[in-house]
Amino acid sequence: MYDSDNNKLEISFAGYYAKDIDAFVERNCTLSICDWTSAKGKLSKESRWSSSINRFMGVVDMILSMNGDGSCLTMTVMTSDDRYVDWCFENAKVELVVAEA
């Protein structure tokens, strides 16, 4: 779910890879990114960011990387239409909600 008017993105999955235990966890979960101050996007093969993330949105098949330093969250995702895109969210609130076992 992507709500450009309210700066909210939610991506739901049937599981996730937990680095701390080095294992795949099969539980429904939702990654929520919201309240960013700005968001940029680009095709991964490009070097320049677009000031609008909207044309780089799509149904996410897989999150390939996700890095944050507190003020900027960057992600590389593969979309269902076989695009590899990079997203950058500034000052975003990020939460992973995992269903109870």
Side-chain angles (χ1 to χ4, degrees), residues 34-58:
C34 62
D35 298 333
W36 57 80
T37 54
S38 69
K40 303 179 278 189
K42 68 181 183 76
L43 294 176
S44 292
K45 63 184 177 183
E46 296 176 347
S47 59
R48 295 189 56 174
W49 291 93
S50 169
S51 60
S52 174
I53 197 170
N54 292 337
R55 70 179 212 155
F56 301 99
M57 281 293 161

PDB file of all heavy atoms in Angstrom, residues 34-58:
ATOM      1  N   CYS A  34       6.745   5.601   7.118  1.00  0.00           N
ATOM      2  CA  CYS A  34       5.793   6.715   7.075  1.00  0.00           C
ATOM      3  C   CYS A  34       6.432   8.014   7.556  1.00  0.00           C
ATOM      4  O   CYS A  34       7.538   8.028   8.083  1.00  0.00           O
ATOM      5  CB  CYS A  34       4.552   6.388   7.895  1.00  0.00           C
ATOM      6  SG  CYS A  34       4.859   6.120   9.639  1.00  0.00           S
ATOM      7  N   ASP A  35       5.699   9.081   7.339  1.00  0.00           N
ATOM      8  CA  ASP A  35       6.038  10.425   7.827  1.00  0.00           C
ATOM      9  C   ASP A  35       7.391  10.946   7.356  1.00  0.00           C
ATOM     10  O   ASP A  35       8.049  11.709   8.053  1.00  0.00           O
ATOM     11  CB  ASP A  35       5.968  10.477   9.363  1.00  0.00           C
ATOM     12  CG  ASP A  35       4.589  10.189   9.891  1.00  0.00           C
ATOM     13  OD1 ASP A  35       3.610  10.451   9.167  1.00  0.00           O
ATOM     14  OD2 ASP A  35       4.478   9.686  11.033  1.00  0.00           O
ATOM     15  N   TRP A  36       7.815  10.536   6.147  1.00  0.00           N
ATOM     16  CA  TRP A  36       9.087  11.041   5.643  1.00  0.00           C
ATOM     17  C   TRP A  36       8.952  12.501   5.239  1.00  0.00           C
ATOM     18  O   TRP A  36       7.871  12.987   4.922  1.00  0.00           O
ATOM     19  CB  TRP A  36       9.592  10.196   4.476  1.00  0.00           C
ATOM     20  CG  TRP A  36       8.642  10.089   3.313  1.00  0.00           C
ATOM     21  CD1 TRP A  36       8.423  10.995   2.323  1.00  0.00           C
ATOM     22  CD2 TRP A  36       7.780   8.978   3.021  1.00  0.00           C
ATOM     23  NE1 TRP A  36       7.487  10.541   1.432  1.00  0.00           N
ATOM     24  CE2 TRP A  36       7.074   9.289   1.836  1.00  0.00           C
ATOM     25  CE3 TRP A  36       7.535   7.753   3.635  1.00  0.00           C
ATOM     26  CZ2 TRP A  36       6.150   8.433   1.267  1.00  0.00           C
ATOM     27  CZ3 TRP A  36       6.610   6.903   3.061  1.00  0.00           C
ATOM     28  CH2 TRP A  36       5.927   7.250   1.881  1.00  0.00           C
ATOM     29  N   THR A  37      10.082  13.202   5.251  1.00  0.00           N
ATOM     30  CA  THR A  37      10.079  14.608   4.839  1.00  0.00           C
ATOM     31  C   THR A  37      10.288  14.751   3.343  1.00  0.00           C
ATOM     32  O   THR A  37       9.832  15.722   2.739  1.00  0.00           O
ATOM     33  CB  THR A  37      11.154  15.417   5.595  1.00  0.00           C
ATOM     34  OG1 THR A  37      12.415  14.785   5.425  1.00  0.00           O
ATOM     35  CG2 THR A  37      10.811  15.503   7.076  1.00  0.00           C
ATOM     36  N   SER A  38      11.010  13.799   2.739  1.00  0.00           N
ATOM     37  CA  SER A  38      11.129  13.751   1.286  1.00  0.00           C
ATOM     38  C   SER A  38      11.451  12.320   0.883  1.00  0.00           C
ATOM     39  O   SER A  38      11.987  11.543   1.678  1.00  0.00           O
ATOM     40  CB  SER A  38      12.197  14.716   0.761  1.00  0.00           C
ATOM     41  OG  SER A  38      13.475  14.283   1.122  1.00  0.00           O
ATOM     42  N   ALA A  39      11.103  11.986  -0.356  1.00  0.00           N
ATOM     43  CA  ALA A  39      11.359  10.642  -0.883  1.00  0.00           C
ATOM     44  C   ALA A  39      11.803  10.773  -2.339  1.00  0.00           C
ATOM     45  O   ALA A  39      11.215  11.523  -3.109  1.00  0.00           O
ATOM     46  CB  ALA A  39      10.114   9.781  -0.772  1.00  0.00           C
ATOM     47  N   LYS A  40      12.868  10.044  -2.667  1.00  0.00           N
ATOM     48  CA  LYS A  40      13.408  10.059  -4.024  1.00  0.00           C
ATOM     49  C   LYS A  40      13.451   8.632  -4.543  1.00  0.00           C
ATOM     50  O   LYS A  40      13.430   7.683  -3.766  1.00  0.00           O
ATOM     51  CB  LYS A  40      14.832  10.632  -4.026  1.00  0.00           C
ATOM     52  CG  LYS A  40      14.956  12.018  -3.458  1.00  0.00           C
ATOM     53  CD  LYS A  40      16.378  12.502  -3.483  1.00  0.00           C
ATOM     54  CE  LYS A  40      17.130  11.962  -2.287  1.00  0.00           C
ATOM     55  NZ  LYS A  40      18.467  12.550  -2.133  1.00  0.00           N
ATOM     56  N   GLY A  41      13.544   8.491  -5.848  1.00  0.00           N
ATOM     57  CA  GLY A  41      13.649   7.168  -6.438  1.00  0.00           C
ATOM     58  C   GLY A  41      14.486   7.197  -7.698  1.00  0.00           C
ATOM     59  O   GLY A  41      14.747   8.258  -8.265  1.00  0.00           O
ATOM     60  N   LYS A  42      14.909   6.001  -8.120  1.00  0.00           N
ATOM     61  CA  LYS A  42      15.646   5.866  -9.380  1.00  0.00           C
ATOM     62  C   LYS A  42      15.708   4.401  -9.742  1.00  0.00           C
ATOM     63  O   LYS A  42      15.529   3.526  -8.890  1.00  0.00           O
ATOM     64  CB  LYS A  42      17.048   6.452  -9.281  1.00  0.00           C
ATOM     65  CG  LYS A  42      17.998   5.701  -8.357  1.00  0.00           C
ATOM     66  CD  LYS A  42      19.351   6.378  -8.327  1.00  0.00           C
ATOM     67  CE  LYS A  42      20.368   5.640  -7.488  1.00  0.00           C
ATOM     68  NZ  LYS A  42      20.916   4.444  -8.121  1.00  0.00           N
ATOM     69  N   LEU A  43      15.917   4.119 -11.017  1.00  0.00           N
ATOM     70  CA  LEU A  43      16.245   2.756 -11.417  1.00  0.00           C
ATOM     71  C   LEU A  43      17.638   2.462 -10.869  1.00  0.00           C
ATOM     72  O   LEU A  43      18.511   3.341 -10.877  1.00  0.00           O
ATOM     73  CB  LEU A  43      16.226   2.610 -12.933  1.00  0.00           C
ATOM     74  CG  LEU A  43      14.864   2.772 -13.613  1.00  0.00           C
ATOM     75  CD1 LEU A  43      15.024   2.700 -15.133  1.00  0.00           C
ATOM     76  CD2 LEU A  43      13.890   1.698 -13.129  1.00  0.00           C
ATOM     77  N   SER A  44      17.872   1.254 -10.386  1.00  0.00           N
ATOM     78  CA  SER A  44      19.152   0.934  -9.738  1.00  0.00           C
ATOM     79  C   SER A  44      20.347   1.167 -10.651  1.00  0.00           C
ATOM     80  O   SER A  44      21.418   1.539 -10.179  1.00  0.00           O
ATOM     81  CB  SER A  44      19.142  -0.507  -9.242  1.00  0.00           C
ATOM     82  OG  SER A  44      18.223  -0.634  -8.186  1.00  0.00           O
ATOM     83  N   LYS A  45      20.168   0.976 -11.955  1.00  0.00           N
ATOM     84  CA  LYS A  45      21.290   1.148 -12.878  1.00  0.00           C
ATOM     85  C   LYS A  45      21.603   2.616 -13.169  1.00  0.00           C
ATOM     86  O   LYS A  45      22.627   2.918 -13.757  1.00  0.00           O
ATOM     87  CB  LYS A  45      21.017   0.399 -14.181  1.00  0.00           C
ATOM     88  CG  LYS A  45      19.829   0.912 -14.952  1.00  0.00           C
ATOM     89  CD  LYS A  45      19.552   0.081 -16.181  1.00  0.00           C
ATOM     90  CE  LYS A  45      18.302   0.587 -16.878  1.00  0.00           C
ATOM     91  NZ  LYS A  45      17.969  -0.230 -18.023  1.00  0.00           N
ATOM     92  N   GLU A  46      20.729   3.529 -12.767  1.00  0.00           N
ATOM     93  CA  GLU A  46      20.950   4.955 -12.992  1.00  0.00           C
ATOM     94  C   GLU A  46      21.760   5.549 -11.850  1.00  0.00           C
ATOM     95  O   GLU A  46      21.760   5.036 -10.734  1.00  0.00           O
ATOM     96  CB  GLU A  46      19.615   5.684 -13.125  1.00  0.00           C
ATOM     97  CG  GLU A  46      18.814   5.252 -14.334  1.00  0.00           C
ATOM     98  CD  GLU A  46      17.443   5.920 -14.411  1.00  0.00           C
ATOM     99  OE1 GLU A  46      16.998   6.528 -13.418  1.00  0.00           O
ATOM    100  OE2 GLU A  46      16.826   5.812 -15.472  1.00  0.00           O
ATOM    101  N   SER A  47      22.397   6.661 -12.111  1.00  0.00           N
ATOM    102  CA  SER A  47      23.186   7.308 -11.065  1.00  0.00           C
ATOM    103  C   SER A  47      22.458   8.489 -10.422  1.00  0.00           C
ATOM    104  O   SER A  47      22.746   8.842  -9.293  1.00  0.00           O
ATOM    105  CB  SER A  47      24.533   7.777 -11.621  1.00  0.00           C
ATOM    106  OG  SER A  47      24.326   8.685 -12.674  1.00  0.00           O
ATOM    107  N   ARG A  48      21.508   9.082 -11.140  1.00  0.00           N
ATOM    108  CA  ARG A  48      20.831  10.284 -10.636  1.00  0.00           C
ATOM    109  C   ARG A  48      19.482   9.946 -10.012  1.00  0.00           C
ATOM    110  O   ARG A  48      18.700   9.190 -10.565  1.00  0.00           O
ATOM    111  CB  ARG A  48      20.624  11.286 -11.765  1.00  0.00           C
ATOM    112  CG  ARG A  48      21.956  11.809 -12.298  1.00  0.00           C
ATOM    113  CD  ARG A  48      21.759  12.922 -13.239  1.00  0.00           C
ATOM    114  NE  ARG A  48      20.981  13.955 -12.565  1.00  0.00           N
ATOM    115  CZ  ARG A  48      20.720  15.128 -13.050  1.00  0.00           C
ATOM    116  NH1 ARG A  48      21.159  15.439 -14.223  1.00  0.00           N
ATOM    117  NH2 ARG A  48      20.000  16.003 -12.388  1.00  0.00           N
ATOM    118  N   TRP A  49      19.221  10.541  -8.860  1.00  0.00           N
ATOM    119  CA  TRP A  49      17.946  10.387  -8.170  1.00  0.00           C
ATOM    120  C   TRP A  49      16.917  11.324  -8.781  1.00  0.00           C
ATOM    121  O   TRP A  49      17.241  12.445  -9.170  1.00  0.00           O
ATOM    122  CB  TRP A  49      18.089  10.729  -6.686  1.00  0.00           C
ATOM    123  CG  TRP A  49      18.899   9.756  -5.911  1.00  0.00           C
ATOM    124  CD1 TRP A  49      20.234   9.828  -5.650  1.00  0.00           C
ATOM    125  CD2 TRP A  49      18.425   8.564  -5.284  1.00  0.00           C
ATOM    126  NE1 TRP A  49      20.616   8.749  -4.901  1.00  0.00           N
ATOM    127  CE2 TRP A  49      19.537   7.958  -4.660  1.00  0.00           C
ATOM    128  CE3 TRP A  49      17.178   7.946  -5.195  1.00  0.00           C
ATOM    129  CZ2 TRP A  49      19.436   6.772  -3.947  1.00  0.00           C
ATOM    130  CZ3 TRP A  49      17.082   6.768  -4.486  1.00  0.00           C
ATOM    131  CH2 TRP A  49      18.190   6.183  -3.878  1.00  0.00           C
ATOM    132  N   SER A  50      15.670  10.877  -8.827  1.00  0.00           N
ATOM    133  CA  SER A  50      14.552  11.728  -9.228  1.00  0.00           C
ATOM    134  C   SER A  50      13.947  12.313  -7.958  1.00  0.00           C
ATOM    135  O   SER A  50      13.869  11.635  -6.935  1.00  0.00           O
ATOM    136  CB  SER A  50      13.495  10.901  -9.964  1.00  0.00           C
ATOM    137  OG  SER A  50      12.316  11.646 -10.135  1.00  0.00           O
ATOM    138  N   SER A  51      13.511  13.551  -8.037  1.00  0.00           N
ATOM    139  CA  SER A  51      12.917  14.177  -6.850  1.00  0.00           C
ATOM    140  C   SER A  51      11.530  13.618  -6.537  1.00  0.00           C
ATOM    141  O   SER A  51      10.992  13.871  -5.468  1.00  0.00           O
ATOM    142  CB  SER A  51      12.842  15.692  -7.032  1.00  0.00           C
ATOM    143  OG  SER A  51      12.037  15.997  -8.156  1.00  0.00           O
ATOM    144  N   SER A  52      10.962  12.843  -7.442  1.00  0.00           N
ATOM    145  CA  SER A  52       9.656  12.224  -7.210  1.00  0.00           C
ATOM    146  C   SER A  52       9.811  10.706  -7.189  1.00  0.00           C
ATOM    147  O   SER A  52      10.319  10.111  -8.138  1.00  0.00           O
ATOM    148  CB  SER A  52       8.664  12.621  -8.299  1.00  0.00           C
ATOM    149  OG  SER A  52       7.459  11.897  -8.131  1.00  0.00           O
ATOM    150  N   ILE A  53       9.359  10.101  -6.121  1.00  0.00           N
ATOM    151  CA  ILE A  53       9.436   8.650  -6.001  1.00  0.00           C
ATOM    152  C   ILE A  53       8.287   7.952  -6.729  1.00  0.00           C
ATOM    153  O   ILE A  53       8.361   6.765  -7.023  1.00  0.00           O
ATOM    154  CB  ILE A  53       9.474   8.238  -4.506  1.00  0.00           C
ATOM    155  CG1 ILE A  53       9.967   6.804  -4.368  1.00  0.00           C
ATOM    156  CG2 ILE A  53       8.123   8.461  -3.852  1.00  0.00           C
ATOM    157  CD1 ILE A  53      10.264   6.389  -2.954  1.00  0.00           C
ATOM    158  N   ASN A  54       7.248   8.681  -7.067  1.00  0.00           N
ATOM    159  CA  ASN A  54       6.013   8.079  -7.589  1.00  0.00           C
ATOM    160  C   ASN A  54       6.215   7.178  -8.804  1.00  0.00           C
ATOM    161  O   ASN A  54       5.643   6.100  -8.879  1.00  0.00           O
ATOM    162  CB  ASN A  54       4.985   9.157  -7.915  1.00  0.00           C
ATOM    163  CG  ASN A  54       4.476   9.848  -6.682  1.00  0.00           C
ATOM    164  OD1 ASN A  54       4.533   9.315  -5.578  1.00  0.00           O
ATOM    165  ND2 ASN A  54       3.979  11.061  -6.848  1.00  0.00           N
ATOM    166  N   ARG A  55       7.021   7.574  -9.756  1.00  0.00           N
ATOM    167  CA  ARG A  55       7.188   6.751 -10.960  1.00  0.00           C
ATOM    168  C   ARG A  55       8.039   5.506 -10.721  1.00  0.00           C
ATOM    169  O   ARG A  55       8.155   4.653 -11.583  1.00  0.00           O
ATOM    170  CB  ARG A  55       7.718   7.570 -12.127  1.00  0.00           C
ATOM    171  CG  ARG A  55       9.123   8.012 -11.977  1.00  0.00           C
ATOM    172  CD  ARG A  55       9.586   8.797 -13.180  1.00  0.00           C
ATOM    173  NE  ARG A  55      11.013   8.518 -13.306  1.00  0.00           N
ATOM    174  CZ  ARG A  55      11.696   8.594 -14.401  1.00  0.00           C
ATOM    175  NH1 ARG A  55      11.117   8.950 -15.495  1.00  0.00           N
ATOM    176  NH2 ARG A  55      12.966   8.325 -14.421  1.00  0.00           N
ATOM    177  N   PHE A  56       8.635   5.400  -9.529  1.00  0.00           N
ATOM    178  CA  PHE A  56       9.449   4.235  -9.192  1.00  0.00           C
ATOM    179  C   PHE A  56       8.748   3.282  -8.228  1.00  0.00           C
ATOM    180  O   PHE A  56       9.335   2.319  -7.768  1.00  0.00           O
ATOM    181  CB  PHE A  56      10.796   4.685  -8.611  1.00  0.00           C
ATOM    182  CG  PHE A  56      11.550   5.551  -9.575  1.00  0.00           C
ATOM    183  CD1 PHE A  56      11.531   6.923  -9.458  1.00  0.00           C
ATOM    184  CD2 PHE A  56      12.229   4.980 -10.634  1.00  0.00           C
ATOM    185  CE1 PHE A  56      12.195   7.728 -10.361  1.00  0.00           C
ATOM    186  CE2 PHE A  56      12.900   5.775 -11.557  1.00  0.00           C
ATOM    187  CZ  PHE A  56      12.883   7.149 -11.422  1.00  0.00           C
ATOM    188  N   MET A  57       7.487   3.561  -7.950  1.00  0.00           N
ATOM    189  CA  MET A  57       6.701   2.687  -7.085  1.00  0.00           C
ATOM    190  C   MET A  57       6.166   1.508  -7.893  1.00  0.00           C
ATOM    191  O   MET A  57       5.998   1.592  -9.112  1.00  0.00           O
ATOM    192  CB  MET A  57       5.518   3.431  -6.463  1.00  0.00           C
ATOM    193  CG  MET A  57       5.900   4.290  -5.297  1.00  0.00           C
ATOM    194  SD  MET A  57       6.447   3.237  -3.948  1.00  0.00           S
ATOM    195  CE  MET A  57       7.354   4.401  -2.985  1.00  0.00           C
ATOM    196  N   GLY A  58       5.914   0.409  -7.211  1.00  0.00           N
ATOM    197  CA  GLY A  58       5.353  -0.782  -7.835  1.00  0.00           C
ATOM    198  C   GLY A  58       5.131  -1.834  -6.777  1.00  0.00           C
ATOM    199  O   GLY A  58       5.490  -1.646  -5.609  1.00  0.00           O
TER     200      GLY A  58
END
